[in-house]
Amino acid sequence: MTRVLVVEDEPPLMRALEINLKARGYDVETAPDGAHALRRAAARPPDVVLLDLGLPDMDGNDVIKELRGWSRASILVVSARRTSQEKVTALDAGADDYITKPFDMDELLARLRAAARRVKAGKPAVGTAVVETEGFTIDLLAKKARREGRDIRLTPTEWHLVEVLVRNSGRLVSQQQLLQEVWGPSHSTQTNYLRVYMAQLRRKLEADPAHPRHFFTAPGMGYRFAP
Ligand code: CA
């Protein structure tokens, strides 16, 4: 099911979008401002973000830039700003498409389908087993890690963490998601576990654990692996 995050501060329009998208089988989440949008996107990564630019707490272009740092979602701007310069600014910030208000619902749905197709087409092949970075190699299938020619032993919990991060390579994985997947639903608030285990992983795999190149922390939100 395609997951869509609708970011819109006008309640009637938000409601209309939510009803129309749900009726067409989309998994819809909503956010009334930029801060909520970023938190929702981090907690449950959307496939597509429908984004208004005029938001009460921050400019939509800043939401785009922030999302682009860690999200692979396709971003479709839905805005009353209609000059080419305004469109160029949003596209340069990292938006994938742009539709002006007032919009035709059928056109918006068509653009949304196109955006969803692009995201699905760009998803990495499931089952990427071997990950190579300039510093270390991880074979998820054989459960072997090597750094500078030496075998590195990882504990089962460390392997599980690595698996979840590598499966989501390039995107932010929220603290809750990691805790739930690795330790189970009853541990979803034990963020201290994550700090301890991520520090161990960095000591074992990063050349300079204090300045990680592959296992990044997004303070208060989660972690991201970059090969
Ligand atoms: Ca607005």
Side-chain angles (χ1 to χ4, degrees):
M1 198 187 249
T2 302
R3 194 178 292 165
V4 183
L5 173 61
V6 182
V7 188
E8 172 58 62
D9 62 323
E10 285 171 51
L13 179 53
M14 159 80 87
R15 189 89 195 103
L17 284 167
E18 195 179 5
I19 290 168
N20 270 283
L21 298 186
K22 280 189 173 156
R24 282 159 182 88
Y26 290 99
D27 176 357
V28 183
E29 285 208 79
T30 60
D33 57 42
H36 279 93
L38 293 171
R39 275 206 294 279
R40 301 255 148 88
R44 274 187 94 220
D47 296 304
V48 182
V49 179
L50 292 190
L51 179 68
D52 180 22
L53 292 181
L55 296 171
D57 61 335
M58 59 198 281
D59 191 86
N61 286 308
D62 292 327
V63 176
I64 298 173
K65 285 180 207 149
E66 174 73 26
L67 279 175
R68 272 295 156 261
W70 43 263
S71 169
R72 288 188 176 187
S74 190
I75 303 172
L76 171 50
V77 170
V78 183
S79 175
R81 299 180 193 170
R82 47 200 322 126
T83 70
S84 339
Q85 188 47 53
E86 285 164 330
K87 292 180 189 174
V88 168
T89 302
L91 294 169
D92 279 347
D96 297 277
D97 197 1
Y98 198 108
I99 187 166
T100 50
K101 291 178 183 171
F103 56 84
D104 174 74
M105 187 60 79
D106 286 333
E107 184 185 351
L108 181 123
L109 290 167
R111 303 269 197 113
L112 175 58
R113 284 194 297 276
R117 273 199 303 276
R118 280 196 298 274
V119 173
K120 305 255 177 216
K123 283 221 166 121
V126 184
T128 307
V130 181
V131 179
E132 272 184 78
T133 73
E134 80 266 29
F136 56 85
T137 308
I138 295 171
D139 185 334
L140 292 172
L141 213 57
K143 295 269 189 292
K144 282 191 189 308
R146 284 179 77 77
R147 180 158 82 89
E148 291 159 2
R150 286 185 305 119
D151 286 332
I152 304 290
R153 257 184 53 82
L154 299 184
T155 66
T157 301
E158 289 166 350
W159 272 116
H160 205 155
L161 257 183
V162 167
E163 269 168 21
V164 178
L165 289 168
V166 167
R167 202 168 66 226
N168 293 284
S169 187
R171 56 203 263 179
L172 181 78
V173 184
S174 70
Q175 294 175 341
Q176 291 128 287
Q177 187 185 342
L178 277 170
L179 286 163
Q180 286 193 11
E181 290 208 31
V182 178
W183 283 275
S186 57
H187 293 84
S188 60
T189 57
Q190 310 278 332
T191 52
N192 56 319
Y193 289 13
L194 284 175
R195 275 195 295 277
V196 171
Y197 276 86
M198 290 303 296
Q200 277 173 206
L201 266 184
R202 289 191 183 116
R203 270 200 301 278
K204 291 183 178 183
L205 295 173
E206 295 273 5
D208 179 0
H211 301 96
R213 306 270 311 264
H214 306 286
F215 293 98
F216 295 100
T217 304
M221 297 208 286
Y223 298 88
R224 180 169 59 87
F225 171 76

